[in-house]
Each structure stands twice: as C-alpha cells, then as structure tokens.
Amino acid sequence: MSNHTNAATPEPHPAPIQVPLEWDTPMYRLAVDQLDQTAERMNLDPNIWERLRTPQRAHVVSFPFRRDDYKTVETVFAYRVQHLLTMGPTKGGIRYDEDVNLGEVTALSMWMSWKCAIMNLPFGGAKGGVRIDPHTLSSDELQRLTRRYTSEIIEVIGPDRDIPAPDLGTDERVMAWIMDTYSQQMGHAVPGVVTGKPIEIGGSYGRREATGRGVITCAKEACRKIGMSLDGSKVVVQGFGAVGAVAARLASTLGAQVIGISSISGGTYNPKGLDIDAIDAWLKQNGDDLKSYPGGEPVTNQELLELPCDILIPAAIQNQITEKNAASLRCKMMVEGANGPTTLEADAILADRNILVVPDILANAGGVTVSYFEWVQGVQQFFWSEEEVNRKLIELMQAAYRNVDQLASDEGVTLRTAALMRGIGRIKQAKHVRGVFP
Ligand code: NAD
C-alpha cells in the first residue's frame, strides 16, 4: 500500500516554492508547468507530484580546460542532473553548448523521465551539459574537455547508475572518450557506461539513426490518423544534425518532398523539393553554409518555420515555436525532434488552430529506445543486426504512439497531455509500490 499519501486531506497542489531554486530558469518552468497541468488533470497524489518537480540529484562542477596554445586555461562549468532514481539506472544525453545551464539540464532530465516511462524502459531521466561552444574546439581540445568532464562526474555515472548518451553538440567520438576515461579509472573496459558509442566498442547498429527514425515513424502514424500520406507530403526540417539530417533523409526515402532545411546559420528552401544527397555533398565542401546552397533559396530559421508545408519537424534546439510565431505556422502537423521546441503558450495556439503536435517526449524517444537496446546487447554480449534493431524500434514506437493516441481520444486531450499522463502515471505506480525510505 502506498505510504506516499498522508492521512490528512492532501493539499490540492504542492506548496508554492518560496525560495528560488538553483535550477529555476524559463526552461525548467516550462517542464514544471507541463507537469503541473498534467498532474492537476490526473488528480495526481500531491506527495508524488511534489517529488517529481525537482531532481533527486544535481551536480554542478567547474574545472580548468587548457587550450591547444598551452597558455590559456579557462574555467568551464558543467552539469549532470539525475531527476528520478525510482525506475532503474538514470539515462540521458550530454550536450555541449555555450548557453547550457542547470535549469536547462534539469528540464531535459525531467523530460527523459517521462520519455523512458512512455516507452516502458527501465530507466529514470538524467541529462548532462558542458557550457562551451564545441564548434570552436579542435579535436584535441574536445577530447581533453571530455576526459576532464568525465573525471569530474565519474562518481555519479556507471552502467548500473547513470548512463550518458549523445545530445546536441556531442557524438560517437565523445562517447568513446567517456567510455575510455571511465574504463581507465576502473581498471577494466566498461562499455556499458555510455550508449551511442561506436560499433567497434559495443555500440548498436541503428543507434545513430534511431532518433530520426523514431520521428519519421511517429510522422507516419500521425499521417495515418489524419488521413494523409507521408508519400508525396511536403516536409520542413529545422536543424540538420544527428536528428534532423536523418529525419530529412528518411522522409525523402519514403517519398516525401523535403522543401526546407536549416542549420544554426540559416537554411535553404525549394518548393519543388531538395536533393538530400546533393545537400550532404554541398555541406562536406562548404561547412555549415546552407544559405548559399545553389539548389534552393536562402531563408532564416524564423522564415523556415513559417514555410507552407504538411509536416514541420523542429530538430534543432528548444524555445523555437512561441506565442510570437505559433499563429504564423503553415503546417498541418508538427513532429518534435528537438526537446522543448514549443512553449506552453504556443502549444495552446496550435491546439486552437487544429495543428496536430506529436510531442518531443514521444516523437524523439527513438534515441533512448535504441540506447536501451545497446545497453541490453552489451549486458548479454549478444549483438543484433541492423534490420533487427530497426524492426524492434519501429514496433515499439508504433505501439507507444498508438497507446498515447488512444489515451488522448479517451480523455479528450492533446497528444502532449496524453503522453505526459502516460509517463507520469507509470512513474506514480512505481513510486507507490516502492514506498518511502525510511
Ligand atoms: P546536433 O548537434 O547533431 O545538431 C543540431 C542541429 O541544429 C545542427 O544542424 C545545428 O546547426 C542546428 N542548430 C543549433 N543551434 C541552432 C539554432 N540556434 N537555431 C537553428 N538551428 C540550430 O544535435 P542533435 O543530436 O541532432 O539534437 C537536436 C535536438 O534533438 C536537440 O534538442 C536534442 O536534445 C534532441 N534530441 C537528440 C537526440 C539524439 O539522439 N541525438 C535524441 C533525442 C532528442
């Protein structure tokens, strides 16, 4: 029986937070506001509600980082936040970004908790961040930074504790350096300390493409729901990184016309469809410069979001669709590859305008799902083929989408609210059966 519930009549809402919390930033507020709205709707036990509003552990570190010139030593701030230790080890990516802060990482760790619960994965949410622009670093600098950050958080990560993965600004190389640094300290190889690592050291086939594949699986499901076909639809993708580039390529392979894509410096638009192979080749020659791509017209990131299309896929950063531009979006549906791209106010505007939104915690859960496959394969030392990974991922994503969609219909709520209800509901059940220590 639960011992989370007080004998006295519980307050209808957790007590307001009096003193500003260290992680109290706009992005954290967004995550908490989403939780609060959903908890109210679910009539969630207020004791559990309050526990879910703050992370269980939040580590802030600062460390010296030497540049290649061997003169400059900078102080770098970095974070690792573990939101929920109830469900198993914690799991979540590490982002390298010059604006990252404790509030952002905390919000992302909360979303990871809901995401893992929606997908029924045996993990709680975590997230890490290093406050630096990775594009200014040489490969040696990136490696030194990664190894020092790993040694700063070494006590709190581990294959049974907390398992990092790639996110914005990090990739397979970074995961390999984390794995190597951790293993050096332990005295033996510990591949299970990270996921999203290279195949040569126990990575999984299909992990690199997993988030984009999950996004497109959700887009297909959402198309089916509204009687539209992905084949022949017009797609716009913001962000051409690990998530966006794969989503664009898969959409195009499935017959969609990708008419707009962008990176941090701007984008390109062609209403007749862009050739993804030609864009890949262009980017190899010209760095990040999509604006000058000769096969399309230059657009700013803001213009890109407002292009007329069937499916908009924000796959870059948070806070992109706000009350300022939500009324100007000209898509039929939006499938969120990025975490937190839509503010609460924008969400309400899109719902009013009948634009179907597949929320981040469902749409981009393919990454953590294949990370889970990677972890399972590592534990068993038995590795699956790429076809097997992709098939299992698509099965789980379809099942999760349909489950959330059914709940949305039953409760008469948006997919975002239904996804939050499903994730938070499963965590609530786990907390009830575990009880409170001591
Ligand atoms: P990435 O670093 O590989 O690519 C990011 C892309 O976004 C790049 O094209 C970059 O130029 C662009 N970008 C960065 N800042 C921008 C800005 N201010 N305006 C417009 N474009 C900008 O990162 P990624 O791994 O593809 O992650 C993208 C998003 O997806 C993030 O929100 C991340 O949290 C989320 N996500 C990633 C994964 C994953 O497996 N990598 C999983 C789930 C969610």
Side-chain angles (χ1 to χ4, degrees), residues 95 167 169 207 211 240-243 263-264 301 315-317 337-339 364:
R95 62 171 48 179
D167 191 66
R207 174 59 185 89
T211 309
F240 201 66
V243 181
S263 66
I264 190 165
N301 265 292
I317 56 161
N339 283 308
N364 71 30

Side-chain angles (χ1 to χ4, degrees), residues 137 163 170 193 336 397 426:
L137 304 180
I163 308 146
T170 57
V193 67
E336 295 180 337
M397 291 299 302
R426 287 188 176 142

Side-chain angles (χ1 to χ4, degrees), residues 236-254:
V236 168
V237 185
Q238 186 195 33
F240 201 66
V243 181
V246 173
R249 175 165 295 284
L250 286 176
S252 152
T253 312
L254 293 171

Side-chain angles (χ1 to χ4, degrees), residues 114-262:
W114 319 148
K115 209 179 289 186
C116 292
I118 290 166
M119 297 306 297
N120 261 323
L121 309 178
F123 300 125
K127 207 79 183 188
V130 179
R131 197 189 293 174
I132 200 153
D133 178 0
H135 306 106
T136 64
L137 304 180
S138 70
S139 178
D140 282 352
E141 287 173 338
L142 192 66
Q143 178 166 178
R144 278 202 298 281
L145 179 93
T146 299
R147 289 186 182 280
R148 180 66 191 237
Y149 170 59
T150 307
S151 66
E152 293 292 337
I153 61 165
I154 206 152
E155 296 298 334
V156 301
I157 59 171
D160 302 316
R161 256 172 207 243
D162 180 13
I163 308 146
D167 191 66
L168 199 72
T170 57
D171 57 14
E172 288 182 358
R173 266 182 324 165
V174 170
M175 294 307 116
W177 291 326
I178 295 176
M179 179 267 184
D180 185 67
T181 307
Y182 187 87
S183 301
Q184 294 298 339
Q185 294 306 312
M186 296 302 132
H188 58 99
V190 190
V193 67
V194 286
T195 58
K197 53 192 173 283
I199 301 283
E200 295 81 351
I201 52 171
S204 175
Y205 286 111
R207 174 59 185 89
R208 196 181 299 157
E209 300 82 15
T211 309
R213 178 162 277 115
V215 167
I216 295 304
T217 305
C218 286
K220 267 177 92 173
E221 288 294 310
C223 282
R224 213 168 53 98
K225 176 83 183 171
I226 63 169
M228 195 174 99
S229 170
L230 182 66
D231 187 358
S233 66
K234 289 189 187 290
V235 176
V236 168
V237 185
Q238 186 195 33
F240 201 66
V243 181
V246 173
R249 175 165 295 284
L250 286 176
S252 152
T253 312
L254 293 171
Q257 267 191 332
V258 179
I259 59 166
I261 57 164
S262 70

Side-chain angles (χ1 to χ4, degrees), residues 51-87:
R51 289 297 301 125
L52 295 179
R53 293 174 113 224
T54 51
Q56 271 187 259
R57 294 176 183 160
H59 300 270
V60 181
V61 297
S62 74
F63 55 85
F65 162 57
R66 197 188 287 280
R67 292 273 174 178
D68 282 344
D69 63 13
Y70 260 70
K71 290 191 196 107
T72 323
V73 176
E74 291 166 28
T75 293
V76 174
F77 292 94
Y79 313 91
R80 185 73 189 170
V81 173
Q82 298 164 350
H83 172 246
L84 176 79
L85 281 76
T86 308
M87 315 298 283

